Amino acid sequence: MSFTNKVVVVTGAGSGIGAAAALQFAAEGARVVLVDRDEARLRDVRAQCPRHDQELLLLAADIAREDEPHRIIQETVNKFGKLDVLVNCAAIFRVNSGLDENIMETYDEVMNVNLRALVLLTTLAAPHLVESKGNIVNISSVAAVMALGAENAVYSISKAGVEHFTRGAALELAASGVRVNAVRPGPVRTRIAENCGRDMNCDDWSDLTKIGRISEPQEIADTILFLANDKAKGITGSIFTVDNGMVF
């Protein structure tokens, strides 16, 4: 799969699935815009990148802030002159009981990053993607279709929203030649649990899968690149599950 001279924005590119996707896009010749709140992690990813600095753009940004999605799209177009692929990978995981008096703080925090920012980035990117006949790949989760636990409900709601928005955006943008799809990972070896302050071992999730393993970020990145490539030109409005048989 070649992405030579394609311009790709990847949010959440500082670690995990986002970092793996950004590195694979760069290896395939793309000009990659790496977006993450953590600038130090972005620099670490850039150090692993096979592309020259002039073919990369690092943007330290908190996409939950109203102005940041605007800046991301504008700086991308200013530097590279176009946009071909948007990968909405940034997400946070928080746990909180629905009976907790602070539940709405958790709800707003998670929804602002996982769903609201994704919707805004899509809206801002759409005119540029229409021009390039590009596409969007959103990252969902098996949490969108199954209850992982009462304290994870807000995260599940956000990912269910991602999937419904993916279908709606695909329907709206189809006539303009823009495809929109999502990847629904199961357990993946990333920092998302660590980042929420929980002492969780990724390997503990392997027992929930039918084939007794969890995925590496590169496996999810493989699916992202497939969906973003012309080999998937007949695929839109689809949710691709990569979960080692966790959900049938």
Side-chain angles (χ1 to χ4, degrees):
M1 291 183 289
S2 175
F3 287 88
T4 301
N5 296 325
K6 297 290 188 181
V7 177
V8 181
V9 171
V10 182
T11 68
S15 63
I17 295 169
L23 290 170
Q24 288 197 35
F25 274 115
E28 293 292 340
R31 297 169 178 173
V32 186
V33 181
L34 297 89
V35 181
D36 198 275
R37 287 189 297 185
D38 192 322
E39 187 172 1
R41 288 184 185 174
L42 286 176
R43 291 196 297 267
D44 289 343
V45 175
R46 179 176 60 186
Q48 305 171 52
C49 200
R51 305 292 280 169
H52 298 298
D53 279 355
Q54 63 266 29
E55 296 168 315
L56 301 174
L57 176 60
L58 271 62
L59 294 178
D62 180 356
I63 61 172
R65 291 177 50 187
E66 183 76 23
D67 57 330
E68 295 287 55
H70 291 268
R71 180 170 70 89
I72 291 164
I73 301 303
Q74 190 60 58
E75 291 198 23
T76 297
V77 175
N78 286 347
K79 181 174 178 64
F80 296 119
K82 63 172 184 171
L83 174 59
D84 296 288
V85 180
L86 171 64
V87 180
N88 285 307
C89 190
I92 58 173
F93 179 79
R94 298 289 185 266
V95 292
N96 205 342
S97 168
L99 303 180
D100 193 305
E101 63 181 10
N102 297 320
I103 185 62
M104 295 313 298
E105 293 179 14
T106 301
Y107 180 89
D108 288 341
E109 182 187 14
V110 171
M111 296 297 284
N112 284 343
V113 175
N114 294 9
L115 186 57
R116 190 178 190 278
L118 180 150
V119 172
L120 180 54
L121 279 163
T122 298
T123 299
L124 296 171
H128 304 287
L129 295 172
V130 168
E131 186 173 345
S132 65
K133 303 305 178 188
N135 67 86
I136 300 170
V137 182
N138 297 322
I139 307 305
S140 179
S141 165
V142 293
V145 294
M146 66 180 298
L148 298 179
E151 294 185 338
N152 303 329
V154 172
Y155 180 77
S156 294
I157 292 166
S158 74
K159 291 302 186 178
V162 167
E163 295 196 3
H164 284 293
F165 179 74
T166 295
R167 297 183 185 98
L171 180 61
E172 184 170 7
L173 293 171
S176 299
V178 177
R179 299 184 297 107
V180 187
N181 294 290
V183 181
R184 181 195 288 158
V188 183
R189 200 180 305 278
T190 71
R191 300 168 58 98
I192 193 166
E194 175 186 335
N195 290 343
C196 81
R198 281 296 178 101
D199 183 16
M200 300 169 67
N201 188 331
C202 288
D203 292 312
D204 293 342
W205 290 86
S206 63
D207 292 340
L208 299 177
T209 70
K210 304 298 187 298
I211 55 179
R213 67 181 296 275
I214 65 173
S215 294
E216 298 296 332
Q218 292 77 12
E219 298 171 44
I220 311 305
D222 286 340
T223 306
I224 294 170
L225 265 72
F226 167 70
L227 289 172
N229 188 262
D230 285 344
K231 291 183 178 181
K233 61 186 177 183
I235 302 173
T236 194
S238 292
I239 315 295
F240 272 57
T241 303
V242 185
D243 68 347
N244 297 293
M246 188 172 180
V247 179
F248 280 175

